Amino acid sequence: MSVRALRQAVDGLLPSLAPVRFVAEDGTAVKAPAGYTRPPDDLLREAWRRMVIGRRFDTQATALTKQGRLAVYPSSRGQEACQIAGVLALRAQDWLFPTYRDSVALVSRGLDPMQVLTLLRGGWHCGYDPAAVRVAPQCTPLATQTIHAVGMAEALRRNGEDGVAMAFIGDGGTSEGDFHEALNYAAVLRAPVVFFVQNNKYAISVPLARQSAAPALAYKGIGYGMRSEQVDGNDLLAVLSVLTAAVEHARSGQGPFLVEAHTYRMDAHTNADDATRYRQADEVETWAAADPLTRLETHLRAQGVITDADVDAVQEEAEALAATVRAGMNADVQADAFELFEHVFAEPTPQLREQRALLASELDAQEN
Ligand SMILES: Cc1ncc(C[n+]2csc(CCOP(=O)(O)OP(=O)(O)O)c2C)c(N)n1
């Protein structure tokens, strides 16, 4: 390849130097880079509605952990622009491969909130039928979902289906070997998959600088030959615009796409950890001023897209959802612990038999 052709090939893959942005922190519009379209007002209004409801779901789930009603909950407060834009960029025929942090995205995709919380309440399965809703179970082993997403995307393509798979992943997950294998495989196959990195700056207590020396995580796509972009993850307009373009790129047969969203996790990793031990209050305050929901609301009010009456109506809707979740908690999860062993292999291995027997004897001991 000539130097000129090589340069053109590299330029075609590179992300913008600064994260793509449509709206500044104070809600005023800024000029976005060429090639990105501002989403229409009715879609922005719907995105804002989903963000309000998503945040209420998130704060309610967090409150339930404090009351001991929910075993664990990884909050995505502060990441709502990413959660909602990821869902709005997809169509019904597309597949979503979420992580444990993406419950708000699942509720926004239309899944029953109680089903979304099943696993976190101590049920053994994900609570919903993945094939029916085209959402994979929320993934806890880091980055394995990226490989599953590539497999699904390739399967959709081979079946002649017009679907795209989108894998959500955190910044820490991009340091896993599975992530690199997934990117390589996707790029070689030209699979219709979008890798969506929510860079929320920490992998539990490990800050980004301690786990990656990349100038931005978006650059991780280039070496595999993958078109990549970085975006302000607290600007709903920008995330939605970039992800919509990425999905379109994948759907139209141009291969995979990597998007990195710069955002911040406002709460601790989960209710089980203490974030004050590894990050400073002023850092959290700075990000609080960049809140994605306030930013969108201020912007849409100034543009006349939403009014006080809309805000009241959506608040009411969000409160109703929170009440439904609280009421749903009164019914215990029906879980048969032995089913855990039934869906691993067609024939149980000696280890599984041994574990099953151990569980049986422990339960017997508890009863007697
Ligand atoms: C393969 C694997 N290694 C380690 C862990 C333990 N672990 C759980 S969450 C986490 C940090 C993940 O951080 P990041 O990918 O940035 O996602 P975030 O939780 O910030 O959304 C780690 C190391 C795991 N779940 N899976």
Side-chain angles (χ1 to χ4, degrees):
M1 201 187 264
S2 69
V3 172
R4 194 196 167 101
L6 183 63
R7 163 136 308 164
Q8 268 181 354
V10 173
D11 284 350
L13 302 175
L14 282 170
S16 310
L17 271 175
V20 177
R21 192 177 235 211
F22 278 74
V23 177
E25 268 97 351
D26 64 2
T28 54
V30 295
K31 195 171 159 11
Y36 292 106
T37 320
R38 179 188 161 98
D41 283 349
D42 55 346
L43 187 56
L44 293 177
R45 195 183 147 101
E46 174 61 12
W48 161 77
R49 177 184 154 268
R50 291 183 188 213
M51 281 170 75
V52 173
I53 292 170
R55 174 159 300 182
R56 187 65 188 93
F57 169 83
D58 195 90
T59 53
Q60 181 60 72
T62 301
L64 288 165
T65 63
K66 294 191 173 130
Q67 296 163 10
R69 305 295 302 271
L70 197 59
V72 69
Y73 181 70
S75 167
S76 63
R77 191 168 64 89
Q79 299 182 213
E80 290 90 351
C82 297
Q83 299 277 308
I84 303 305
V87 169
L88 285 177
L90 296 177
R91 298 191 193 149
Q93 73 264 36
D94 299 328
W95 269 82
L96 175 60
F97 286 76
T99 76
Y100 49 83
R101 196 171 300 288
D102 303 313
S103 301
V104 166
L106 269 53
V107 171
S108 186
R109 176 95 171 164
L111 274 64
D112 176 343
M114 291 315 294
Q115 291 186 345
V116 172
L117 293 174
T118 299
L119 186 68
L120 300 168
R121 295 176 70 202
W124 65 265
H125 63 79
C126 73
Y128 49 87
D129 176 359
V133 290
R134 300 213 158 193
V135 177
Q138 289 183 268
C139 191
T140 301
L142 298 178
T144 52
Q145 79 280 10
T146 57
I147 292 187
H148 302 158
V150 178
M152 180 59 78
E154 183 59 10
L156 292 170
R157 193 166 67 97
R158 288 189 191 194
N159 283 343
E161 287 188 44
D162 187 19
V164 169
M166 183 185 287
F168 283 37
I169 185 166
D171 44 288
T174 72
S175 303
E176 292 283 340
D178 280 0
F179 177 72
H180 300 280
E181 291 178 22
L183 260 59
N184 190 54
Y185 189 40
V188 170
L189 291 172
R190 289 175 74 85
V193 55
V194 174
F195 299 99
F196 178 37
V197 182
Q198 289 176 70
N199 172 3
N200 67 10
K201 309 297 176 287
Y202 290 88
I204 310 185
S205 56
V206 180
L208 185 62
R210 294 277 305 283
Q211 46 145 326
S212 177
L217 299 176
Y219 288 94
K220 291 194 177 193
I222 313 305
Y224 300 102
M226 191 179 302
R227 175 87 175 83
S228 306
E229 188 55 281
Q230 56 176 333
V231 60
D232 182 330
N234 285 17
D235 176 358
L236 181 280
L237 279 77
V239 194
L240 186 52
S241 179
V242 168
L243 284 179
T244 302
V247 168
E248 183 48 37
H249 174 98
R251 201 186 308 281
S252 62
Q254 296 176 75
F257 203 116
L258 172 71
V259 175
E260 175 194 14
H262 298 272
T263 184
Y264 195 77
R265 145 165 78 71
M266 294 307 296
D267 287 325
H269 173 73
T270 69
N271 50 301
D273 101 313
D274 175 6
T276 61
R277 294 183 60 184
Y278 54 81
R279 62 186 196 189
Q280 304 296 320
D282 56 350
E283 180 184 285
V284 182
E285 274 162 30
T286 304
W287 279 96
D291 183 87
L293 185 47
T294 315
R295 194 191 301 190
L296 183 63
E297 199 162 299
T298 309
H299 180 71
L300 294 184
R301 272 178 185 270
Q303 304 262 321
V305 179
I306 58 171
T307 62
D308 286 347
D310 294 321
V311 174
D312 291 346
V314 172
Q315 283 297 352
E316 217 170 284
E317 208 183 330
E319 285 310 322
L321 177 108
T324 306
V325 170
R326 285 195 302 274
M329 286 288 153
N330 292 328
D332 285 337
V333 173
Q334 298 301 324
D336 176 357
F338 292 103
E339 283 188 357
L340 263 180
F341 302 98
E342 281 170 21
H343 307 285
V344 188
F345 295 111
E347 288 298 324
T349 60
Q351 291 88 346
L352 282 174
R353 279 203 205 94
E354 197 184 316
Q355 289 167 19
R356 192 182 198 286
L358 189 68
L359 178 65
S361 67
E362 279 180 8
L363 290 179
D364 272 354
Q366 268 178 27
E367 274 173 25
N368 298 322

